[in-house]
Amino acid sequence: MAGLFHKLRHPRRCYVVCTIPRSGSNLLTDGLRATRRAGQPKQFFLRKFESRYGAQLGLDPAVDYPGYVRGIVNTKTSPNGVFGFKLMSWYLDAFLARLRDAHTFGNSATDDLALLQNAFPRLRFIYIIRRHKLRQALSTARALQTGLWKVQEGKRTVSEPQFDPELIEQSLREAQRQEKIWQDFFQRIGIRPFEVEYEKLCQDYEGTIHGVLDFLEISLPRGMRIGNPVTIRQADEISQMWEERFLAERPSAYSPAAG
């Protein structure tokens, strides 16, 4: 535990990247983390990852969830006092329930915004979205088949993807459902998140990262540049062929004007 306490840093500000699968959140959070000024925004509160992070802290999240949350915040904060994390909409409600059930950050009478702010000081919300919904669905269908959710050099697929219009259409509907969860949540807590568009992030990576840093009021050392992304875009000839074939076979399932 001595090593843990040696690394404690209490945050002066926190932020959460709100997202759904295949929205470009890895591209965004990798860029923020690479600055070494914006914490280490990862999915610390996805249940399947908690045991691994908890072991690093010498804590069992199932036994002491408040201790786990505080331990993550205090050890994953960058030297300038910034802590960031990422949340997917599909486990948002479960995460809020665990925070509330801990009886440390609030109770049944505590609203969601206050609950989160009690756990994460000066919390700000970033929402990354992808405008082209069909390409997002294609990417999801492909990742479901290959098992490759983050494309990086050296990573291999577990199987070759096959064109599956039913899976693509299901992915379209699921993305709509998950985006609505975030939209309803933001409306319920009464905030407007800072929006990042995946397409703009790809077009102007450095400029978009700087825009997020400005929103978070994080300054970089003079002369520091944002490096090239480590995450590789999945879009290629296969994606293009799938898009054309899906539009030809199921024209009523998707309207290009919708994104």
Side-chain angles (χ1 to χ4, degrees):
M1 287 295 275
L4 167 62
F5 287 111
H6 178 69
K7 297 178 182 178
L8 287 180
R9 296 190 182 102
H10 299 289
R12 293 193 294 271
R13 68 176 68 88
C14 300
Y15 69 91
V16 54
V17 175
C18 306
T19 186
I20 71 171
R22 316 315 293 169
S23 292
S25 61
N26 283 325
L27 189 64
L28 174 62
T29 56
D30 283 350
L32 292 171
R33 184 167 62 252
T35 68
R36 300 185 180 180
R37 306 281 292 175
Q40 305 172 45
K42 296 183 178 182
Q43 294 190 79
F44 300 116
F45 307 108
L46 175 57
R47 190 182 288 272
K48 71 176 184 178
F49 294 156
E50 287 181 348
S51 59
R52 172 163 56 89
Y53 288 122
Q56 295 173 4
L57 298 172
L59 295 169
D60 184 351
V63 175
D64 183 8
Y65 201 65
Y68 173 76
V69 172
R70 288 169 173 162
I72 286 292
V73 172
N74 290 331
T75 57
K76 303 301 183 181
T77 295
S78 50
N80 59 328
V82 177
F83 171 76
F85 64 106
K86 182 166 74 171
L87 279 180
M88 296 279 183
S89 61
W90 62 268
Y91 63 89
L92 169 65
D93 287 343
F95 174 58
L96 292 173
R98 279 184 291 158
L99 284 180
R100 188 169 277 109
D101 291 345
H103 300 293
T104 298
F105 310 110
N107 53 40
S108 59
T110 308
D111 64 72
D112 290 344
L113 181 58
L115 183 74
L116 287 165
Q117 290 174 331
N118 289 340
F120 309 102
R122 297 180 62 192
L123 182 65
R124 296 189 178 188
F125 296 82
I126 298 167
Y127 181 38
I128 182 165
I129 57 175
R130 190 164 179 169
R131 292 298 180 192
H132 201 298
K133 306 305 183 186
L134 177 55
R135 291 175 186 168
Q136 182 176 26
L138 293 169
S139 181
T140 298
R142 192 168 171 179
L144 286 168
Q145 294 185 59
T146 64
L148 199 58
W149 290 92
K150 184 174 183 178
V151 183
Q152 291 179 297
E153 191 172 346
K155 281 195 171 185
R156 297 182 178 180
T157 61
V158 296
S159 62
E160 289 301 314
Q162 302 295 323
F163 178 74
D164 185 340
E166 185 63 31
L167 181 59
I168 294 168
E169 190 166 342
Q170 288 175 4
S171 298
L172 266 172
R173 291 196 297 266
E174 178 61 17
Q176 293 170 350
R177 186 188 71 82
Q178 291 199 35
E179 281 197 344
K180 190 175 186 305
I181 291 173
W182 281 126
Q183 292 162 1
D184 291 346
F185 173 73
F186 296 139
Q187 184 175 14
R188 184 170 74 246
I189 66 175
I191 65 104
R192 292 185 63 182
F194 181 82
E195 285 196 2
V196 176
E197 289 186 16
Y198 168 76
E199 288 80 3
K200 290 182 179 178
L201 179 63
C202 293
Q203 183 180 18
D204 182 10
Y205 183 69
E206 184 172 3
T208 303
I209 297 294
H210 273 295
V212 175
L213 294 175
D214 288 344
F215 166 71
L216 295 173
E217 300 181 59
I218 298 173
S219 58
L220 298 180
R222 181 172 296 180
M224 180 179 175
R225 298 290 304 274
I226 305 295
N228 293 327
V230 296
T231 302
I232 301 170
R233 291 184 65 189
Q234 189 182 61
D236 55 17
E237 290 183 2
I238 293 177
S239 300
Q240 185 175 350
M241 286 190 297
W242 282 15
E243 181 177 347
E244 293 172 355
R245 185 174 172 183
F246 184 83
L247 290 172
E249 293 184 10
R250 301 202 175 188
S252 62
Y254 175 75
S255 170

